[in-house]
Each structure stands twice: as C-alpha cells, then as structure tokens.
Amino acid sequence: MAAQFGRRLRKGAATTAVAAVAVAALSASQAPGVNDHGRQAAADATPSPDASASDGSATGNSPYYTDLPPLNSPSPSPSTGPGPTPSGTAEAGIPATVLDAYKKAEAALRDSKPGCNLPWQLLAAIGRVESGQARGGRVNADGTTIKPILGPQLDGNGFALIKDTDKGAYDGNSTYDQAVGPMQFIPSTWAWAGRDANGDGKKDPNNIYDAALAAGHYLCRNNWDLSDQNDLDRAILSYNNSREYLNLVMRWLEYYRKGTHEVPDGTGTLPGNRSDDGAGTSPSPSTPSTPSTPGAPAAGGPKPKPSPRPEKPGGGGTTTPPKPPTTPPGSPSAPPSAPPTPTDTVHHLEDAGTAKLTAMAGDAFTKRISTRAETKAGKAVAKVRVRFTIVGETDTTFAGGESVATVATNSSGVAVAPALQAGEKTGDVTVRATVVGRTIAGLDYTATVTERAADALVRTGDAALTCTPGGEFANQVEVKATYKGAVADGVAATATLIRSADDPTANDKGPYFKDADGKAVRTLTGLKTDAKGLLKLPKLYADDTTGTFLLRVNTEGGATLTVELTVAAAETSSPSPSASPSA
C-alpha cells in the first residue's frame, strides 16, 4: 500500500479517533466562523436518515487524506517575493489547471443542471481530500496526471471488498478494484459517471477536466440541491460514506469559500497524513504496473530511521516486520478461505412489488422500481449494490438526468431505484437491474411513456363568432387545455369543421382555414398547446354559404370542445321616411 498510496489513512479506529479529536479542536477554535452566511456547521450537520441509502459510492469508500485546513482564513492573493509562505496562504493555493477544471465543471453544471447549485469550491474540497489537488497539480497541458493516482486495492483487508469490475482497464488490477485519478473514482462508478469534459473523445478518470465534471454530475444526481444542507450532506456522503469524511470535506469547503488563489501546476501544497504517529511523508502516486511494497517510503520523502526493535502499537516510527510464525507439523499450508461476502451469496434478483410504470411525456413517474436480491433458497440479501441501467434509445432518465443509478439493498434485501423522469420520446423504456460484482442474469422492467394528454378544453373568450358570406371572422378561436386541473402543455390537438354534432367528418362548405398556398382546408392536424396550455387557431374565413356551423377541437387524452360559428348576411338599416309633399 505504501508505494501506491503513501501513508494515506485507512478508515479504521485510529483514523476515526484522530480525525474526531482534530475536528473537535478545530470546532472549538473556529466556532465563530464556521456558520458564515448562515450555513450549518459540518460537525452539527446530522445526515438525514436516507443520506447513505446508496452504497454505490464514487470512491468505494476508499481511504482519504485527513489534513485539516489551517485555523486562520486563507489569503485571496498569492504571496510575492522570497521567503517563507505565510500559514494559510499555501493551503489556499490551487494549481492553475486543477482550478480551471473545477470552475469549468461548475459552469457546465450551471447550464445543464441549474437546480443543483454546485459550487466549484465543493469540487476543490473533495479534490483536496481525495488526491491533494491531483498531487499538487502534477498534470500535463491537457489536465492528465503525470502518473496515475491509485488508491489501495479494495480487497477487504482493512478496506471495502470490491472485486474487479473493469478487467484492469482503469486501475491495472484484474483482481480487485482501486480508486483511480484525482477525484478517486472506482472503475464500476466511472463506467457510468465518467465524462469527456476536454473533448478529446475519451472519458479518462486520470484527467482532471473529465474527473471534475464527472464528480459534479455525480454530486448533482437525484435532483439534489446543494444549496440545501441536507442535500449537500447526502451528496458528500454518497461520495464516501463516512461521517468523518463529511465533516472534513465541509471544513475544506468553508475554507475555500473564504478565498483561494491560483498557483503554478506542480507547486501545490502536498498533503501529509494524520495518524497516531503524527505527521509523515507525503504519499506518491504510482503506475498500475508498480507493485506495492509494504512499508516502503514515498518517492522523494525522507528515509525512515531504522528501529532496533518492533515498536509498540501507536508508538510512532517505522516498525520492523514481524517474522512469520512457524507452521506446526501437520498444519495445512494454505490459509483458510475468506468467508463469502453478501454479494457472493446472491443467486438471483426478484421484483419487489413494482407497480405499473406509466407517465406522460415530460412528467415524472409516480412509481419507482423495487428489486430484491435473494439467495438460491430465496432469502433476502442486504448490503448488495444493485445497478439500474436505462437501456436502448430513449430520452427518459432517472431524476437528475442520469441513465444509471447504483443503490444498496436494505435489511429486507430491497433496492429502490430513483424516480424516473419521462422524456419526450414515447413508447416503452427498459430499465435493467443487475448486481454489481456478481455475474447473474439481470432483471428487466418496462416503463411506458405516453403522449401528453388533456382531459378538459375550454374557450378563453366568449365573444360571438360571426361572419358575413365571403368574409373573415373577426375573432380567432383560442382554447386552454388542462389535465386533472393542471395546465396541459405540449398536448397534440386536431381542429375540424364538422358536418354536424352527430357527423364528425369534415364539412365541404361553410367556414374554412387557409393553408400556406391560400387554399381552403377544413381540418388542421399537428397542433400543440403551448407552455401555458393554450392553443390559438388560425383565422377562419367564410364562403357564400350562410347558416350555423360547428368547429370541433380534439386533444390527445380525449378532451373535446365544440364551438358554434355563424355566417349571415349583414343587416340592412331601414330607410328613413320621406318628407310629405307640401300642400
């Protein structure tokens, strides 16, 4: 682990204790400034009950750097001249390319998901905690890290157990997954969350532009509004499901909000580590082909002093590896196999009572997909990651605009997918549920998107619709469509001048519309209500036939309105009586 991740801390008891003490000390010393702008302090930000409902974290809950921001506020301007950098200034410096990537990601999300309110400082806070801002900005001209940044392999030995999902494509490890790149995505998450932000045709987790935009989209899923503290907590916890992680990211977020400045690439402050033996050397990235050597110092760091004897736990310094125990005669040479994980026990997926999934185009589905993971004997399996994927050509997405969502099963073995948001393309949509890290048959669900509909139509005015033979109607017909009392926008409609109330076929005489060539037409198709549910028909004209005529408007969904039209000769005024002849 040392060569891959330096002394990056495991999320164990020692880390938790140190981080808790450090956060508590910082809370006491910074109490007046933590709630700037009315924000809730991270130490008091209790996650909502569903804050960690999804176990498909971006990092696979990998370890992270625990450096705390300085006590004093950062300086918004870079220091000038030689000499030591003032405390609080160096930590606020963000390498130029890395800072540019964060700001570009914020701008992109402002356009695509304005309701998320993603601040670039949140990306900076996570980037600091995950990789020390891409190892102090060690990136090339296009934003790709000079060397891949890899977390430790997630083999269950002090970390989560996540078996290989990418055949080593991203992390170079075909046995277990490892978090990759400056934002530390695990391969299974990058497979759906990855983005090509720099337009080079690749989604590269080692490119800070791609990784920052992917992190932004990841944090903005599920319709989260990051200006709301509860949603912000949920988003951060979904990145790494640890209360200490939430507190730490919030500290850096508040710190960066008070001021940052740009520093040259490769000159950013490198994180140390905070373990029970105090500060240590800064960790180094590694290439996928470089094997990990336990206890090896990071590249460029000071060599540890030799210890004449093994140190006591927590005593600090470099310990002498213990000699392997001698195997007694007759003992098995191979270690006992590890017990199966919950994922290993899943035999199949079952529907967990999902209701019929139907929504009109543009609307949210009111029902959600529920899937249960079961053993061969039909027993529910908890804490298994189920991935829901929308397949095929469709513009229907999950809430937040994503086509993939990963959710952990609860104590009843059930994973509930995020709500679906219907697009404009109608028809059936397939959502496939699969188990992450387990090759078993997926379970397909069908969601149906129907045309937008209206169940009521009314005229917006009550003026009489009259005309003289051969003339044009002074007033145009305008109608308003609603569905269950709400505005029905984008609803398809047809307008026809019919023969009679009992005969809906088009009339061949009386009032008419004009087409683009000025010819008479008595049926209009392809009409749609506007955003306010309104539909204004073109002008009507009359031929020489007098009488009462009917205009019928029909919409998708069955709403119908019949309007009466009158064509009559103009009334003539009576002549005034002539003067009597004089006698």
Side-chain angles (χ1 to χ4, degrees):
M1 187 185 86
Q4 287 185 322
F5 224 67
R7 298 191 178 194
R8 205 172 183 198
L9 296 182
R10 301 187 183 200
K11 285 187 355 185
T15 301
T16 302
V18 171
V21 172
V23 169
L26 185 59
S27 298
S29 62
Q30 284 190 315
V34 171
N35 280 308
D36 286 357
H37 312 296
R39 297 188 185 91
Q40 186 180 16
D44 301 324
T46 303
S48 299
D50 61 343
S52 57
S54 172
D55 194 33
S57 69
T59 68
N61 297 328
S62 293
Y64 50 88
Y65 295 120
T66 59
D67 299 62
L68 290 167
L71 297 179
N72 57 315
S73 296
S75 169
S77 302
S79 59
T80 58
T85 303
S87 176
T89 299
E91 289 81 354
I94 299 178
T97 300
V98 178
L99 181 59
D100 184 57
Y102 296 150
K103 291 185 176 181
K104 279 185 167 59
E106 179 197 58
L109 268 298
R110 190 186 306 123
D111 292 337
S112 62
K113 296 180 181 179
C116 176
N117 296 305
L118 171 80
W120 65 260
Q121 291 92 340
L122 176 59
L123 297 177
I126 291 176
R128 170 74 190 199
V129 171
E130 291 295 342
S131 70
Q133 311 299 18
R135 294 285 300 133
R138 284 165 173 75
V139 296
N140 61 21
D142 68 0
T144 302
T145 56
I146 302 301
K147 292 182 179 179
I149 301 175
L150 295 175
Q153 67 176 15
L154 300 174
D155 57 4
N157 183 22
F159 310 110
L161 174 59
I162 302 179
K163 294 182 179 179
D164 176 62
T165 61
D166 66 330
K167 297 182 180 179
Y170 294 118
D171 54 15
N173 189 333
S174 58
T175 304
Y176 298 99
D177 273 352
Q178 295 174 245
V180 182
M183 303 304 279
Q184 288 290 278
F185 279 96
I186 54 173
S188 59
T189 303
W190 183 262
W192 62 266
R195 292 293 191 278
D196 175 19
N198 61 356
D200 64 356
K202 298 184 297 182
K203 298 176 182 178
D204 183 1
N206 288 299
N207 181 278
I208 185 59
Y209 287 99
D210 292 359
L213 184 59
H217 276 280
Y218 186 91
L219 294 164
C220 285
R221 70 199 194 287
N222 298 330
N223 276 340
W224 282 330
D225 177 0
L226 302 185
S227 65
D228 176 83
Q229 185 66 51
N230 288 330
D231 279 358
L232 180 59
D233 288 352
R234 293 184 182 97
I236 296 172
L237 284 169
S238 78
Y239 212 89
N240 193 313
N241 190 11
S242 160
R243 182 53 184 266
E244 288 72 34
Y245 183 88
L246 167 64
N247 291 344
L248 188 60
V249 169
M250 282 300 302
R251 296 296 181 193
W252 279 106
L253 171 59
E254 295 299 327
Y255 182 75
Y256 285 137
R257 273 175 165 157
K258 295 172 185 175
T260 60
H261 62 271
E262 178 182 300
V263 298
D265 289 345
T267 65
T269 301
L270 298 179
N273 70 81
R274 294 194 58 86
S275 63
D276 54 359
D277 64 348
T281 59
S282 296
S284 298
S286 70
T287 59
S289 59
T290 303
S292 173
T293 304
K303 296 181 179 179
K305 294 180 179 180
S307 177
R309 61 185 182 279
E311 298 289 340
K312 295 180 181 179
T318 303
T319 60
T320 302
K323 294 182 180 179
T326 303
T327 304
S331 298
S333 58
S337 59
T341 66
T343 300
D344 294 332
T345 67
V346 178
H347 178 266
H348 60 272
L349 294 175
E350 287 284 344
D351 176 49
T354 302
K356 186 177 181 180
L357 300 166
T358 304
M360 287 193 299
D363 289 351
F365 284 76
T366 56
K367 307 297 182 182
R368 296 165 70 177
I369 296 172
S370 296
T371 301
R372 183 171 55 252
E374 295 183 353
T375 64
K376 187 174 183 178
K379 183 178 179 181
V381 184
K383 297 183 179 179
V384 171
R385 293 184 298 156
V386 176
R387 179 176 297 143
F388 298 94
T389 305
I390 300 173
V391 299
E393 293 294 327
T394 180
D395 54 356
T396 292
T397 64
F398 290 113
E402 305 294 348
S403 60
V404 179
T406 303
V407 182
T409 56
N410 59 20
S411 58
S412 300
V414 176
V416 180
L420 286 165
Q421 175 67 42
E424 295 302 321
K425 186 177 291 186
T426 59
D428 289 342
V429 177
T430 299
V431 181
R432 181 166 298 151
T434 56
V435 178
V436 177
R438 180 81 167 154
T439 305
I440 60 173
L443 186 61
D444 285 354
Y445 293 85
T446 299
T448 303
V449 180
T450 62
E451 294 280 358
R452 293 172 182 258
D455 57 13
L457 276 175
V458 295
R459 276 190 69 194
T460 59
D462 56 5
L465 298 167
T466 61
C467 183
T468 57
E472 65 179 53
F473 288 79
N475 298 307
Q476 290 177 248
V477 177
E478 184 180 66
V479 299
K480 182 175 183 177
T482 57
Y483 183 79
K484 295 182 179 180
V487 167
D489 61 314
V491 177
T494 301
T496 306
L497 291 150
I498 60 176
R499 292 179 182 274
S500 68
D502 299 324
D503 185 356
T505 58
N507 211 336
D508 57 359
K509 58 185 177 181
Y512 60 90
F513 300 106
K514 288 183 179 180
D515 64 12
D517 298 325
K519 295 179 180 179
V521 292
R522 291 185 169 88
T523 299
L524 296 178
T525 59
L527 305 172
K528 278 194 175 183
T529 60
D530 65 14
K532 297 180 180 180
L534 299 176
L535 173 62
K536 192 170 188 177
L537 299 179
K539 279 188 176 183
L540 280 161
Y541 301 87
D543 60 12
D544 294 334
T545 309
T546 60
T548 301
F549 302 89
L550 299 178
L551 167 66
R552 181 163 291 172
V553 182
N554 298 304
T555 67
E556 185 73 31
T560 300
L561 176 67
T562 303
V563 181
E564 190 173 278
L565 309 172
T566 302
V567 180
E571 294 183 4
T572 57
S573 57
S574 302
S576 58
S578 58
S580 300
S582 54

